[in-house]
Amino acid sequence: PARAGRTEASIDPFVETFRAADLSAPGVGPRALTRGEEVGRGEHLVLVVDDEPDMRAFLASILREEYRIIQAADGADGLALARERKPDLVLLDLMLPGMDGLSVCRALRKEPELATVKIVLLTARVDEGSKIEGLERGADDFLTKPFSTVEIRTRLRNLLSTAKLQRDLAQRNEALETTLAQLRATEAQLVQSAKMSALGSLAAGLLHEINNPLNYTLAALELAEMSAAGRDDPDLTETLTDIGDGMKRIRDIVTDLRAFAYPQQGDHRENFSLKDALETAMRFTARQRNGHVVEAALPPDLRVYGSRTQVTQVFINLLSNALIAIEPVHREVGGRIRVEARPRGDRLEVAVRDNGVGIDSKILPRIFDPFFTTGGVGKGMGLGLSICHTIIRNHGGEIHVESKVGSGAEFRFDLPLVHEECHA
């Protein structure tokens, strides 16, 4: 009787030849393999999908010396088995009950993990339309029944050789892209280092020119304030206050320039408590907090090796920036900064997170550049984050930021960790 899905006239005459043949190869015989059963040897796994048991048995018998063979009796089961075992090549009968070969071929090509699997369609149809449709569905080759054992072995061998070359080329391209990315990163670091060095020299020169006049002016201002203390002259008092505010601004600029131009100052290295450094920074920024909350999730025994003064400066700059970012959206209450740390091998990763306005993705790549600022005139020189970058690099670490507008910002940096046994 005819098998479901095929008419008597459509029974493959090639299969009738197999049924009459003596398929008595050792370990195979006339039987087909059970689902998932594997026979044969070799590097590559081949999935045979055909509803004729004799055809599956024949293909297993002629391919088992070069390949490992698994089998499925219908399209749906073949697709499921391909997903499970991820073969290197699929021999797929075009005429299958239920899910036909073209449908299986199209489904395989939609699977990302099976995109490189080679697919060979087995068909007794020789019309051009069937072949074009198969190629459009993603087939790599056709075998028209009847075919010789030499033909099928040669075609499979060529296809799998091509697949290996494609994999090797993809791996080399990936390695090349990785190398190019590393070269670009190195180039960017060299450019940044050169820029920082040039700006450092400029800052050192400015310090030399500004520092002495600044000290003279501050001393003169102090004398003027003492002289005006006994006078009832509001205009003079207001004028001296304005002058004092301006000179304090210049003094802050000089302080930032000094930290930028001479990062090695205050570089006395020691084992110290990270929590103590954060608490010092919190005292320096206490007036700026204006009711906003700073949560410190740092164990008291967490110690790092480095410059306490410089690490404290990093915390001051990051807390100050976070408070500035918080103010526009949390003027009354709700501003929150969280500082936490976790060991990662011999390094300690520190995170400073806020719920402020966030940073536009367009300027994220520039925020560590010296003198880059989004603040208005008189709101800072744009050296704070650049100083943080220099300090962390001097401690053998990196500093990064993740942020989206409206979602706050998180700065992460790492420092040398001192393990408990080193300071017990």
Side-chain angles (χ1 to χ4, degrees):
R3 184 185 309 274
R6 295 177 187 258
T7 65
E8 189 65 42
S10 69
I11 295 294
D12 192 340
F14 200 31
V15 173
E16 297 297 339
T17 303
F18 299 153
R19 287 174 176 170
D22 178 13
L23 302 178
S24 57
V28 178
R31 75 174 181 88
L33 302 175
T34 59
R35 185 189 188 280
E37 181 183 356
E38 181 179 314
V39 296
R41 58 191 178 187
E43 175 187 357
H44 299 291
L45 179 66
V46 174
L47 168 61
V48 176
V49 185
D50 197 296
D51 61 328
E52 286 290 347
D54 294 320
M55 173 64 91
R56 298 198 303 273
F58 172 75
L59 290 171
S61 71
I62 64 174
L63 298 176
R64 61 178 297 177
E65 292 301 318
E66 290 186 67
Y67 310 109
R68 293 175 290 118
I69 310 298
I70 55 176
Q71 298 183 3
D74 59 66
D77 193 40
L79 179 60
L81 197 55
R83 288 167 173 164
E84 292 174 19
R85 302 293 297 275
K86 296 178 178 56
D88 300 293
L89 185 143
V90 178
L91 276 172
L92 181 62
D93 189 26
L94 185 63
M95 299 297 293
L96 292 169
M99 190 177 192
D100 65 18
L102 291 177
S103 299
V104 175
C105 187
R106 179 171 57 186
L108 287 172
R109 287 299 179 231
K110 290 182 178 180
E111 299 279 337
E113 294 185 350
L114 300 174
T116 61
V117 172
K118 295 298 180 182
I119 302 174
V120 178
L121 287 176
L122 305 175
T123 177
R125 299 166 62 181
V126 294
D127 59 289
E128 196 71 19
S130 297
K131 292 186 176 182
I132 292 175
E133 186 177 6
L135 292 171
E136 290 175 344
R137 299 289 182 94
D140 296 285
D141 202 356
F142 282 86
L143 276 170
T144 303
K145 304 172 185 177
F147 48 79
S148 69
T149 57
V150 173
E151 180 183 12
I152 187 171
R153 286 171 176 164
T154 302
R155 292 202 182 208
L156 266 58
R157 195 177 298 125
N158 289 342
L159 279 173
L160 290 170
S161 295
T162 301
K164 185 177 186 303
L165 290 174
Q166 290 173 339
R167 287 195 301 270
D168 291 345
L169 181 60
Q171 291 174 355
R172 291 179 183 179
N173 285 340
E174 185 178 353
L176 180 59
E177 289 176 1
T178 301
T179 301
L180 288 174
Q182 292 172 346
L183 287 174
R184 292 190 190 100
T186 301
E187 181 184 22
Q189 290 177 357
L190 290 173
V191 171
Q192 180 72 3
S193 297
K195 184 190 297 184
M196 297 284 281
S197 177
L199 290 173
S201 299
L202 174 62
L206 288 172
L207 281 176
H208 179 74
E209 297 297 328
I210 294 175
N211 201 47
N212 286 339
L214 174 64
N215 289 333
Y216 296 150
T217 304
L218 288 173
L221 179 61
E222 185 176 352
L223 291 175
E225 288 175 338
M226 292 173 59
S227 176
R231 304 182 185 180
D232 184 15
D233 192 338
D235 292 337
L236 177 60
T237 300
E238 183 178 356
T239 299
L240 292 175
T241 299
D242 291 342
I243 294 173
D245 291 341
M247 297 312 298
K248 288 176 183 177
R249 172 66 185 142
I250 295 174
R251 183 180 61 195
D252 291 341
I253 292 173
V254 169
T255 300
D256 284 347
L257 283 173
R258 183 178 292 111
F260 177 70
Y262 303 107
Q264 69 278 8
Q265 291 186 0
D267 195 25
H268 171 66
R269 301 293 175 104
E270 60 182 328
N271 296 346
F272 65 93
S273 167
L274 189 68
K275 186 176 182 181
D276 289 347
L278 176 60
E279 288 176 349
T280 301
M282 290 173 65
R283 288 196 296 272
F284 273 95
T285 56
R287 294 183 62 184
Q288 188 182 355
R289 285 208 297 274
N290 194 29
H292 303 304
V293 177
V294 177
E295 301 175 346
L298 302 179
D301 59 345
L302 204 56
R303 302 180 71 84
V304 295
Y305 178 76
S307 168
R308 183 198 302 260
T309 300
Q310 291 187 355
V311 173
T312 300
Q313 182 67 45
V314 170
F315 277 132
I316 290 173
N317 290 350
L318 293 181
L319 290 177
S320 179
N321 284 354
L323 290 166
I324 292 172
I326 282 171
E327 190 64 22
V329 290
H330 301 288
R331 294 186 185 279
E332 301 297 329
V333 292
R336 191 170 298 276
I337 302 170
R338 181 174 177 81
V339 184
E340 55 189 13
R342 65 177 65 183
R344 291 190 181 276
D346 292 330
R347 308 289 295 183
L348 183 70
E349 185 180 83
V350 185
V352 179
R353 186 183 307 113
D354 67 69
N355 63 345
V357 294
I359 304 171
D360 192 327
S361 59
K362 295 179 181 178
I363 67 172
L364 276 177
R366 301 181 58 195
I367 62 171
F368 294 111
D369 288 350
F371 303 109
F372 176 77
T373 177
T374 58
V377 177
K379 298 297 184 180
M381 291 186 64
L383 282 175
L385 289 177
S386 180
I387 291 169
C388 291
H389 181 272
T390 300
I391 290 173
I392 297 304
R393 290 293 297 272
N394 286 347
H395 284 73
E398 297 288 341
I399 182 168
H400 306 280
V401 61
E402 293 182 5
S403 181
K404 291 182 180 179
V405 173
S407 300
E410 178 176 286
F411 286 84
R412 289 186 175 273
F413 60 90
D414 61 291
L415 296 166
L417 176 65
V418 177
H419 294 284
E420 185 174 353
E421 60 270 16
C422 297
H423 62 83

